[in-house]
Amino acid sequence: QCNLVLRHIAFGEFEIAGEAGKASARSMREGNSILGLNYAFLHIGLNDFYQGSFRTAEANYVKAEEMARDNFGADSGLKAAAGVHGQSLSFWKGELEAESVPALETDVFQICQFDGWFESFAIGFDALFHHALAERNSNRMSEYIRQMRVTALERGVERLDAVADAFELILCVVHDDMRKAARLFEAVRQHIVSDTRKRHAPTWMVRMFAGMACTRYLIKTTSVREALKSAQTTNSLV
């Protein structure tokens, strides 16, 4: 049931995912599975997060983090996963302070060692990368991309490697390395398709990151009109 929730989330079927998440939580309670219920709260919170329901997402993340700490320990992998979700939400609410970034890094790097959940990796590295981008910290951006690729290879998460391509395209544009950017652009734009189930990355999230990166590239190399067209195409597909 937990896997079913994630499948619906990956395809952007958020309403169905919400109902599946409730069913998953009920089953975990009936089966007296603390671990399963802990993950159910994370999944339900993630579904809320993606829909912009930050208040309910935060409530579920707080429950998940408290359960993980009380039942599995403050240094547990599940606590780290809950921390990644909660702090990533804080970033997109504009509430992640600079002094909290090392804690987010620690949690992200910890889950990279044992987990295989694409969404946890993606939202964690997304927050870290864009925080570094806002500060124009190229060293941090490069390190996050490197770690994403290592994790994608070690955990067999191809979608994470696709997101790393998008982030690297952004980094190349920032550095004015347009020759490398042009090569990456050709690869990244292949993910902006209407039905990603025909490719190795069946998720709206890869389309979104790819579209963001390609739009940024087009602003630099062509015209605002072409960039806007790219952004509109991505928006219609996501």
Side-chain angles (χ1 to χ4, degrees):
Q1 285 184 316
C2 281
N3 286 334
L4 183 62
V5 177
L6 295 181
R7 181 196 181 280
H8 289 308
I9 288 175
F11 283 104
E13 299 165 346
F14 301 125
E15 185 174 347
I16 301 173
E19 293 303 314
K22 294 175 185 177
S24 173
R26 284 196 300 269
S27 294
M28 296 307 173
R29 288 191 179 97
E30 291 169 2
N32 197 30
S33 173
I34 300 299
L35 177 63
L37 183 59
N38 212 151
Y39 271 110
F41 280 131
L42 281 179
H43 299 161
I44 294 169
L46 178 69
N47 194 51
D48 291 330
F49 175 31
Y50 284 161
Q51 295 178 90
S53 301
F54 288 171
R55 183 175 298 178
T56 52
E58 185 173 26
N60 282 295
Y61 285 161
V62 168
K63 287 181 185 176
E65 189 161 4
E66 289 176 348
M67 284 183 65
R69 182 181 60 248
D70 294 344
N71 294 285
F72 303 101
D75 297 325
S76 65
L78 191 54
K79 170 65 169 57
V84 168
H85 284 257
Q87 292 178 93
S88 297
L89 174 61
S90 294
F91 173 75
W92 286 112
K93 289 173 63 181
E95 298 174 357
L96 184 68
E97 302 296 335
E99 56 266 25
S100 299
V101 171
L104 176 56
E105 281 188 342
T106 297
D107 285 343
V108 170
F109 294 159
Q110 183 175 347
I111 65 171
C112 286
Q113 299 301 312
F114 76 91
D115 214 327
W117 183 9
F118 165 73
E119 275 77 13
S120 286
F121 298 148
I123 64 172
F125 279 115
D126 174 35
L128 289 173
F129 180 84
H130 281 94
H131 186 278
L133 177 63
E135 295 190 339
R136 288 296 192 269
N137 190 322
S138 297
N139 289 336
R140 279 178 54 204
M141 287 189 280
S142 296
E143 175 57 24
Y144 297 147
I145 292 169
R146 185 196 69 79
Q147 186 63 50
M148 290 170 73
R149 295 200 186 283
V150 169
T151 303
L153 180 63
E154 291 181 346
R155 298 295 165 189
V157 185
E158 294 183 22
R159 285 182 290 170
L160 187 62
D161 202 43
V163 175
D165 283 342
F167 286 0
E168 188 165 5
L169 175 56
I170 292 172
L171 181 60
C172 287
V173 172
V174 169
H175 282 170
D176 287 322
D177 186 354
M178 303 314 294
R179 180 176 295 181
K180 185 177 180 180
R183 294 196 301 270
L184 278 168
F185 173 75
E186 292 302 321
V188 172
R189 72 173 180 170
Q190 299 303 313
H191 294 294
I192 311 174
V193 293
S194 60
D195 188 354
T196 54
R197 284 171 290 188
K198 296 177 182 177
R199 298 181 58 79
H200 70 271
T203 175
W204 62 271
M205 186 182 281
V206 172
R207 285 200 297 266
M208 179 189 72
F209 284 125
M212 289 168 56
C214 288
T215 298
R216 196 178 189 104
Y217 172 82
L218 290 171
I219 289 173
K220 192 73 170 283
T221 59
T222 57
S223 66
V224 173
R225 178 176 296 180
E226 287 300 313
L228 181 60
K229 187 186 298 184
S230 172
Q232 290 172 334
T233 298
T234 301
N235 187 54
S236 67
L237 294 175
V238 172

